[in-house]
Amino acid sequence: MRPDDTQIIAEARRLHDERFSARNQKLKDRAEERFNRTTVDVPEAYKSTTKQHSSNIIEDEGRQLATLVHAKPVPHLTPHSPEEQPLTTLVENNLAAGFDELEMRNGPVSRQCTMAQIHDNIGWIYFAPKKVAYKGQPKPPPDKATLEEQVAYEIKNSNYKRDAGWTGIFEYEFANTITVMPDGNVHDPHCIYIWKEVPESTLRKTYGVYRNQNGSFSKPEDPNAHPPIGYAANSGPGESTVNVIEYWDRDWCIIIAENNKLDWINGKIVRGGTLLTEWEHNFGRVP
């Protein structure tokens, strides 16, 4: 059954502010150390004999450790009989090539996960079939098409699939640890919340939504929607961000933008939300 949008927002806010608040603070403290944003006060008498490091020592050590322990996955299939060995080898080579292509198109995801395991104690990778595979694929000709038209389509479609490759079928990306909030068994959660602070301009480009004057969001075709006020470079505050909750369970993906507007729901004052997209994937597990 599809969960309620308001309940998703309320539960995500509770997990973010309560259950995972201590973890997130530890991750922030670790980041401060990794990127050398912390300072130590040294008494005047010891300054001449104290070495103040300006390099990111913890980050450097993490990179060295990742270099030693990181290894990309190597697919292996055991053939049912010796005669099937060539086929399993072909599948193994295809899987290895597909993994290399995903890493080439999406960045060093597996290495980012290794670094997260070193610094954050756990790493997350999102991997699943795309909601729309081969988006933009050429349309087949009508049933009464000529042989030349059918051949031209087959060639065009084959070239499209060759160029699209695995990235035309699969989503593959690293999920920053501080954004991920699993609920249930961490190895097979019944649902997961991803809490992102998205620049408002990025949200508008991705989903076409604008912030209303009351703090909620709506589509551009809504007459009440107003584009955010612009200002000249270096003359105003930093770009505003929007809390976006990406909810996954074993059947649904629901993405919601948290409104600034407060609503009275079930006897409580909570922030409402704007549904950005939903998808009943029916994978049977959180991807």
Side-chain angles (χ1 to χ4, degrees):
M1 185 176 69
R2 185 193 185 286
D4 178 71
D5 292 356
T6 304
Q7 189 61 39
I8 290 175
I9 296 174
E11 182 65 8
R13 172 60 69 178
R14 184 186 69 81
L15 292 175
H16 181 270
D17 294 349
E18 298 176 17
R19 183 185 299 180
F20 288 93
S21 62
R23 180 207 68 173
N24 290 347
Q25 187 58 52
K26 288 181 180 179
L27 293 178
K28 291 176 182 178
D29 293 342
R30 176 71 173 183
E32 293 290 328
E33 294 177 319
R34 282 178 62 186
F35 301 113
N36 199 38
R37 299 187 186 120
T38 57
T39 58
V40 178
D41 292 329
V42 179
E44 190 67 32
Y46 294 97
K47 284 187 177 181
S48 60
T49 58
T50 300
K51 172 63 177 176
Q52 289 284 78
H53 292 278
S54 58
S55 63
N56 307 329
I57 297 176
I58 295 180
E59 179 69 4
D60 291 342
E61 291 176 345
R63 281 197 292 264
Q64 293 172 25
L65 181 59
T67 301
L68 293 173
V69 303
H70 173 68
K72 71 176 186 178
V74 178
H76 173 71
L77 298 174
T78 303
H80 294 290
S81 64
E83 292 77 18
E84 292 181 338
Q85 181 65 60
L87 291 177
T88 56
T89 300
L90 186 64
V91 173
E92 290 169 351
N93 292 339
N94 183 52
L95 291 173
F99 176 81
D100 289 341
E101 181 190 316
L102 290 172
E103 288 272 305
M104 180 184 66
R105 297 279 186 92
N106 298 286
V109 173
S110 61
R111 181 176 174 83
Q112 287 178 299
C113 187
T114 300
M115 292 290 288
Q117 292 177 69
I118 293 171
H119 292 294
D120 305 340
N121 298 324
I122 192 169
W124 298 90
I125 292 176
Y126 168 66
F127 177 72
K130 283 193 170 184
K131 183 178 181 180
V132 180
Y134 292 132
K135 190 174 183 180
Q137 181 179 2
K139 294 182 179 180
D143 295 337
K144 296 182 180 180
T146 64
L147 178 61
E148 289 78 9
E149 290 174 331
Q150 292 177 358
V151 171
Y153 163 74
E154 291 296 338
I155 294 175
K156 187 176 181 181
N157 194 46
S158 296
N159 290 339
Y160 170 86
K161 288 186 175 181
R162 179 202 62 200
D163 295 338
W166 276 49
T167 54
I169 308 171
F170 296 106
E171 298 279 8
Y172 177 70
E173 66 181 48
F174 169 72
N176 196 311
T177 311
I178 202 169
T179 68
V180 180
M181 302 183 295
D183 199 0
N185 180 354
V186 71
H187 298 289
D188 186 19
H190 60 265
C191 68
I192 198 165
Y193 300 80
I194 303 176
W195 182 283
K196 301 178 181 179
E197 294 182 11
V198 180
E200 194 167 320
S201 61
T202 301
L203 194 72
R204 185 171 65 252
K205 294 170 187 174
T206 305
Y207 296 103
V209 296
Y210 289 85
R211 190 190 296 274
N212 294 323
Q213 290 179 336
N214 63 4
S216 63
F217 291 92
S218 59
K219 298 287 185 179
E221 58 269 19
D222 188 329
N224 295 319
H226 299 276
I229 298 173
Y231 34 80
N234 302 321
S235 65
E239 183 175 11
S240 61
T241 59
V242 180
N243 293 327
V244 175
I245 296 98
E246 186 174 327
Y247 169 86
W248 289 89
D249 62 22
R250 292 168 180 171
D251 299 305
W252 284 90
C253 169
I254 301 171
I255 303 179
I256 303 171
E258 187 182 49
N259 299 336
N260 287 342
K261 179 184 176 183
L262 298 176
D263 293 326
W264 184 268
I265 300 174
N266 297 329
K268 296 182 179 179
I269 297 178
V270 298
R271 293 186 184 273
T274 300
L275 177 66
L276 300 177
T277 187
E278 60 182 354
W279 175 26
E280 189 176 9
H281 56 77
N282 291 322
F283 291 153
R285 65 174 293 153
V286 178

